[in-house]
Amino acid sequence: MVAASEKAKGRVLLPKNVVPLKYDLTLDVDLDKFIFDGNEKGGKPIELIGLAHNLRHHTLAFTFASPLPVGLGELHVVYQGSHNNQMAGFYRSGYTDIAGKSKVMVSTQFESLDARRAFPCWDEPGVKAVFEVTLVIPRDLTAFSNMPEVESSEQSGTGKRVLRYAPTPKMSTYLLAFVVGEFDFVQDMTKHGVMVRVYTPPGKAEEGRFGLRVAKDTLDLYDDFFAVPYPLPKLDMVAIPEFAMGAMENWGLVTYREVDILINEHKASSQQKQRVATVVAHELAHQWFGNLVTMQWWDDLWLNEGFASWTENYATDILFPDWLMWEQFTIDAQNAALNLDSLRTSHPIQVPIAHAEEVEQVFDAISYCKGASVVRMLHAVLGPADFKRGLQLYMQRHQYSNTETFDLWNAWEKVSGKPIGQMMASWTEQMGYPIVRVEQADLTDGKAYLTVSQSWFLVEGALSKEEESKLWTVPLLYGTAASVNGSTGVRPDLQILTFKTDTIEVPLRGPNDWVKLNLGQHAPLRVLYPPVLLARLAAGVRDKTLPATDRAGLLMDCFNLTKKGEIPATQLLTLIKAYEQEDNSTVWEALAQVLTALDKLLIQAPEIRKRFGHFASSLVKPAALKVGWDPRSDDGHLGKLLRATLINLLSLFCWSEPEVLGEARRRFEAILLNPLDVATLPTEYKVPVLSMVLKAGHQYEFDQVMRLYQDAPSNVEKKQVYNAIGATSDPKLKRRVLDWALQDIKLQDFFYPIGSVSSSSHEGLELAWDFFKMNLPQLKAKLATASSSLMDAVIVYSCGSFSTAEKADEIETFFRENPLPSSQRKIAQTLERIRINARFLDRLRSEIGNSAFWKKLAGEV
């Protein structure tokens, strides 16, 4: 493990000779001029002779006429700030009230580095203090902060109220929050006596009911899980009209994008309900992991985000067990982590951060999804009891303080007696993950004797001698059909791999029994099987003796091994054919990811794409016919997700077929007459229906979809249009969509229509990239001081789907001549992916380019 002293080297931190104990902060809000006056109170004055503002490091240095005495003191700062429109700091959002009038509200977003935009402070996670907040606001508005209001008074002659709030617990600056505006709310009390409220725009209180129920139940669940009660007297959750991320875990005052907290339960899709539930569970996990116990510095960001990403699934799985969250996890979060971490441009979970600004580039699938994946792996190794006891010890030891990763390992080591730090260092301190290869399989005497090896999995490129020596401590669960059949009494086995090669002995149930390594997909890695074992697993796919989690995991492994060149594409497609009778929603989502990725690549090889399209259609149409278009009483959550996945695949592979397009048009015409008719066009698959109609249509269809946008009652409906509108087949209309995105759509959403255009066709991708190049100055101005994640999204949507070496060279040259330093990591990852896909496409041309293979696959020869 890396010592704490080594990790701290190179960090650019504020001096520790002065540290804050308490901030007494008053902010006087002016929503007409978009400014606020700030006042941080002080005591006896000492003459100030100089101020030095370092723009590069965002620091302000005070120079006094005489040395400051050692001990307690007070600093008094009077200043003025602005309510910007960049969704950072103490910023403004525009909205339309129930009377149709344009209004403005203000709220905060301080993580990671934007508390300093609202008040001078020691803006580092390791510098905790108490905050006493006073807000001066217009009399007709409502305001709240992290703690309850303790005093309210009228300010004479100004038409304003002065609101004072109770002191906060000791906490980091990035968790402070305040909101001012007009709101309705719904409320409820937890079993443990905490008042929970969801604040909504006026007239939308009922849309907060579902999120409120999730929050109330989750807070009680976490109280018991962590064995440290939620320490604040209230929990407010607020829907913000303009918001850069999904949500922010401010202690006692969680802020959300409207679409991530407000839903109409009668119209909401399964996807929307699941999204709200997991986002709420994620943010409330932060009230402990991040707020009560905070990482010392940004290189341990994963302690916040990775653990909250694991816990969101843990809590949602308990509250909604029929959703099968851990099954979904393997092809959602874990697969996102594996995809990013297979690149040379990835980074370790514990990524060195020198300047705080660098952290903006690592709020990604490594910190969130790989972090969650290694926590899930550790849960499998420790078992639920020791896992929970270790967390409780960690919370008890470190509440109201700061920690580093080794503090968490120490707690689990204490309760389990296992060398957790040694095992986990290989997963968090080094980049990447292993591929476990079955080098030899001896299937005799009713047993499988397997020789396995491990090495660094990179999807492209040879390893150096030093890279070949990288090792992980791999907890490998393995088993057979008997292991997953509860009636046999046989349980999966666990073997810890620590060497380059090892052997595994597995009893077999019969002559054709399959053997699955990484059973349950608990470890974030890939497994390569020899053909004899892969054929047996394919049989387990067909007869469904292989569990759904492993059917999905096997497919994702084989697809990525094909991309790497370890498995021929012919073998992958033969395996895909084994899923002909698949009926599980999670497995179909895995199939959708693979089929969509291959189709996108083959745009550049039209003859192969045509054959592949017929093959994909032969899988999709029977499954879609079985589930139908209309909801059924026995669908349940996962049945609705399955229908959504299959109709989305119809829109990709079968949209021009008369029966499919006719059904889409019928449902489209119905919602033109009644936009709220979710019985005819359920929200689950509204986007693919709009996309099919737009692809087959012209100006009329485009105008009708835009009318749906204009009449949309909420951001949920607007976002559906954003994600579909670029599917129009008319290049002029595609360009109109791009102009509309840049000029008229809110900052939080404007990249969605760009993605809709670029994903619609190869022509759409070229249009989006040309648009980006021509409009980079306007994009930079629009995003001048906004989160770098917004520019990252625009870059990926504008050029991330190309798949030729020539286009990669063009993009690299463009960004060399037009650098975007804050997006440097995302640009490097995008270029690497394009070059990987270019080489993959070359292999696909050579391996599946002949008609004989497709005839054999279809059973025609």
Side-chain angles (χ1 to χ4, degrees), residues 146-209:
N146 305 75
M147 297 296 288
E149 179 187 314
V150 294
E151 184 181 346
S152 174
S153 60
E154 297 290 321
Q155 192 179 61
S156 178
T158 65
K160 289 187 171 183
R161 288 189 299 144
V162 180
L163 308 178
R164 188 168 64 84
Y165 299 89
T168 70
K170 188 179 178 184
M171 67 183 198
S172 304
T173 50
Y174 77 89
L175 296 170
L176 185 64
F178 9 92
V179 176
V180 181
E182 297 177 311
F183 302 95
D184 285 344
F185 67 87
V186 288
Q187 68 180 29
D188 204 348
M189 186 81 74
T190 70
K191 292 178 181 177
H192 300 158
V194 177
M195 176 59 71
V196 182
R197 285 181 174 177
V198 177
Y199 286 91
T200 76
K204 294 188 176 182
E206 289 305 307
E207 294 184 15
R209 289 281 178 197

Side-chain angles (χ1 to χ4, degrees), residues 374-557:
V374 300
V375 171
R376 179 171 177 261
M377 177 181 72
L378 190 54
H379 184 272
V381 172
L382 288 171
D386 278 351
F387 183 88
K388 183 176 177 179
R389 288 199 303 132
L391 284 182
Q392 292 174 352
L393 177 61
Y394 176 77
M395 291 295 166
Q396 290 158 10
R397 280 178 171 177
H398 303 291
Q399 54 188 309
Y400 303 106
S401 62
N402 296 84
T403 62
E404 299 188 57
T405 294
F406 66 82
D407 293 305
L408 182 57
W409 301 159
N410 289 345
W412 272 319
E413 286 186 354
K414 177 72 174 176
V415 301
S416 69
K418 295 177 179 177
I420 300 302
Q422 180 182 336
M423 181 181 85
M424 296 304 292
S426 64
W427 294 95
T428 63
E429 293 178 10
Q430 67 178 354
M431 187 175 82
Y433 58 87
I435 172 176
V436 174
R437 288 183 172 87
V438 181
E439 303 283 2
Q440 186 175 344
D442 182 6
L443 308 175
T444 58
D445 302 324
K447 291 184 178 180
Y449 299 92
L450 309 181
T451 301
V452 299
S453 68
Q454 63 158 301
S455 60
W456 184 12
F457 181 89
L458 283 174
V459 76
E460 184 70 40
L463 299 177
S464 67
K465 187 174 181 180
E466 181 181 356
E467 291 169 342
E468 282 280 6
S469 68
K470 284 180 69 168
L471 293 175
W472 285 258
T473 300
V474 181
L476 196 66
L477 277 166
Y478 59 90
T480 65
S483 309
V484 299
N485 183 343
S487 65
T488 66
V490 180
R491 296 186 60 79
D493 288 306
L494 172 67
Q495 186 160 327
I496 306 293
L497 308 182
T498 57
F499 300 106
K500 189 71 176 174
T501 61
D502 211 333
T503 58
I504 299 174
E505 181 181 317
V506 189
L508 298 177
R509 183 182 60 173
N512 297 310
D513 199 7
W514 50 258
V515 179
K516 176 68 167 59
L517 303 186
N518 200 23
L519 192 66
Q521 301 298 116
H522 287 283
L525 51 82
R526 302 290 187 198
V527 180
L528 174 62
Y529 299 95
V532 64
L533 292 185
L534 187 59
R536 292 186 177 203
L537 287 165
V541 168
R542 280 189 288 270
D543 64 20
K544 299 190 181 74
T545 55
L546 192 66
T549 298
D550 294 286
R551 299 201 299 275
L554 176 68
L555 179 63
M556 302 312 297
D557 280 1

